[in-house]
Amino acid sequence: MISRLKIFFLELSSACYDLVFFLKHSFKKSKLNEKSKFSAHLTKQYHVVEKGLALPKPRPGFGEKKIKLLIRDTRIYEQQFGTDFLTQNVVSVIKSYVDFHIRIGFKLNEEYNKVLLDFYDDRSTELKGLSTGGVEVYKHLTSEISTHQFLMSRKSVRNFKDTHVSHATILQAIDIAKYAPSVCNRQGWKAHMYDEPNQIASLLDLQTGNKGFSHLINTLIIITGDMNFFTDFERNQLYVDGGLFAQNLMLALHSYGLVTCPLNTCRPFHIENKIKSIGHIDRSERLIMFLAVGEPRHDVMVPKSQRRSSESFLIKH
């Protein structure tokens, strides 16, 4: 049997290894020398534009600085790795951005508009009639939908009706979500539900990824994992189990005709502790995600959020 002291040092060294591994392999703006890292960086950048276009009332001219950086970085990517599906997505997103401003009759400043058009015009042949990036109208569920269409139809929505989702409906969805797999069937997840406006606003202020639609969130769930359910060498299992539960919960809510928007909780520990204090969450729990829940408005726009090819995920040995 491994002594408790040995377990302590193994846990400590494993935690240090996790940190070093993250610092070495995660992508950073200053170190994009690998295609996979650069691809992740560009995807993050262009999806910010998609999310902006999907807001209830996109601000005319939004994101000028970020979009100029996106164009600059895409040019650098093309010089290093050539054009591909990713750059096609960027071009399509820029076209959607330009089309949005034409549609609402808003004139961008001349210098900025030239940057956009020069980038798009140089690469318009890449699209070949396709529109792979940008936004589209959310498709409401129908009774004829197949299982695989249902699974592919869930979208992150940022525009909700001014109604509350009932506690009973959330509980029904959790009755389904709880069948997610967990280590040794321990089910160490929690779902904290909030519907009081001031409390929701205070929590969202600390999350920071909800600008432009936070005022429409009337029902908020914070999904956590309780470390009391885990043991030696399982510090990351909490996030695995909680993530599986969260996905099941989103699909369950989707089956009831509701929409969700998962919001990340990648915040420093002192902010996490503030969130737990405001949300009355036990200290033994770790935050996994915020989940905005509601009924979708008609003709609501959602990001296209194109997926990479399935071949890029499957590695046959």
Side-chain angles (χ1 to χ4, degrees):
M1 181 178 292
I2 304 176
S3 69
R4 293 311 306 171
L5 183 61
K6 186 174 182 179
I7 288 176
F8 171 79
F9 281 110
L10 284 172
E11 290 277 19
L12 180 61
S13 60
S14 295
C16 292
Y17 173 82
D18 287 346
L19 176 60
V20 172
F21 187 89
F22 171 75
L23 294 174
K24 180 179 179 180
H25 294 289
S26 58
F27 74 85
K28 303 168 185 64
K29 292 181 182 179
S30 60
K31 194 175 182 180
L32 296 173
N33 55 337
E34 296 177 28
K35 186 175 182 179
S36 59
K37 292 180 180 179
F38 212 145
S39 174
H41 169 69
L42 278 187
T43 302
K44 178 183 177 183
Q45 283 186 291
Y46 85 67
H47 189 56
V48 168
V49 185
E50 287 186 314
K51 290 189 290 186
L53 291 169
L55 291 176
K57 294 181 179 180
R59 177 176 57 83
F62 76 88
E64 178 176 342
K65 183 178 179 181
K66 290 183 178 179
I67 291 172
K68 285 181 176 178
L69 289 174
L70 170 62
I71 289 173
R72 183 204 67 183
D73 291 347
T74 302
R75 292 184 189 278
I76 295 172
Y77 177 92
E78 289 173 329
Q79 290 171 2
Q80 294 184 31
F81 308 109
T83 59
D84 54 21
F85 182 68
L86 173 62
T87 59
Q88 176 180 293
N89 288 343
V90 176
V91 175
S92 186
V93 167
I94 296 300
K95 182 178 186 301
S96 293
Y97 181 83
V98 172
D99 289 346
F100 162 73
H101 288 92
I102 293 173
R103 189 166 61 252
I104 66 172
F106 182 86
K107 289 189 176 181
L108 299 166
N109 74 68
E110 189 174 338
E111 179 270 334
Y112 181 36
N113 193 55
K114 187 176 186 305
V115 170
L116 295 170
L117 293 180
D118 285 350
F119 176 79
Y120 171 69
D121 289 343
D122 289 346
R123 294 158 181 80
S124 58
T125 56
E126 289 182 32
L127 290 178
K128 299 178 181 178
L130 299 175
S131 180
T132 57
V135 290
E136 60 189 3
V137 177
Y138 175 73
K139 296 177 181 177
H140 293 253
L141 286 180
T142 63
S143 58
E144 297 81 17
I145 195 168
S146 66
T147 302
H148 75 271
Q149 288 173 326
F150 169 79
L151 293 172
M152 294 168 63
S153 66
R154 192 214 66 80
K155 290 282 189 175
S156 294
V157 176
R158 296 168 175 82
N159 195 351
F160 309 100
K161 289 183 179 179
D162 187 21
T163 54
H164 291 277
V165 179
S166 71
H167 177 270
T169 302
I170 298 296
L171 192 59
Q172 287 175 328
I174 288 176
D175 278 340
I176 299 170
K178 69 185 181 184
Y179 287 95
S182 63
V183 61
C184 298
N185 195 35
R186 280 180 247 152
Q187 306 160 60
W189 45 62
K190 299 285 176 61
H192 300 264
M193 178 181 174
Y194 306 92
D195 56 14
E196 198 283 311
N198 290 332
Q199 189 177 29
I200 288 177
S202 296
L203 291 165
L204 291 173
D205 280 345
L206 293 170
Q207 191 275 330
T208 73
N210 50 77
K211 187 177 180 181
F213 69 102
S214 61
H215 61 290
L216 297 175
I217 301 174
N218 294 315
T219 305
L220 178 69
I221 296 174
I222 297 181
I223 297 170
T224 67
D226 190 341
M227 193 57 81
N228 285 321
F229 286 77
F230 302 91
T231 186
D232 299 336
F233 310 114
E234 291 183 348
R235 63 190 177 284
N236 294 325
Q237 191 66 40
L238 175 152
Y239 300 103
V240 175
D241 290 6
L244 291 167
F245 171 77
Q247 179 65 26
N248 257 21
L249 181 57
M250 286 187 284
L251 290 173
L253 291 165
H254 184 42
S255 73
Y256 287 118
L258 298 170
V259 290
T260 57
C261 185
L263 302 165
N264 78 67
T265 54
C266 303
R267 307 292 287 144
F269 72 91
H270 66 286
I271 298 297
E272 177 171 340
N273 287 336
K274 285 183 179 180
I275 291 171
K276 290 199 286 188
S277 177
I278 293 172
H280 306 293
I281 298 170
D282 287 345
R283 289 184 174 274
S284 63
E285 297 174 47
R286 297 302 307 268
L287 305 182
I288 293 174
M289 72 170 67
F290 281 38
L291 194 62
V293 185
E295 294 183 49
R297 295 178 183 271
H298 292 292
D299 297 328
V300 61
M301 304 302 289
V302 293
K304 288 187 176 179
S305 302
Q306 283 294 326
R307 268 39 177 185
R308 304 203 313 268
S309 70
S310 300
E311 289 80 6
S312 69
F313 302 123
L314 179 63
I315 303 171
K316 186 179 183 302
H317 299 279

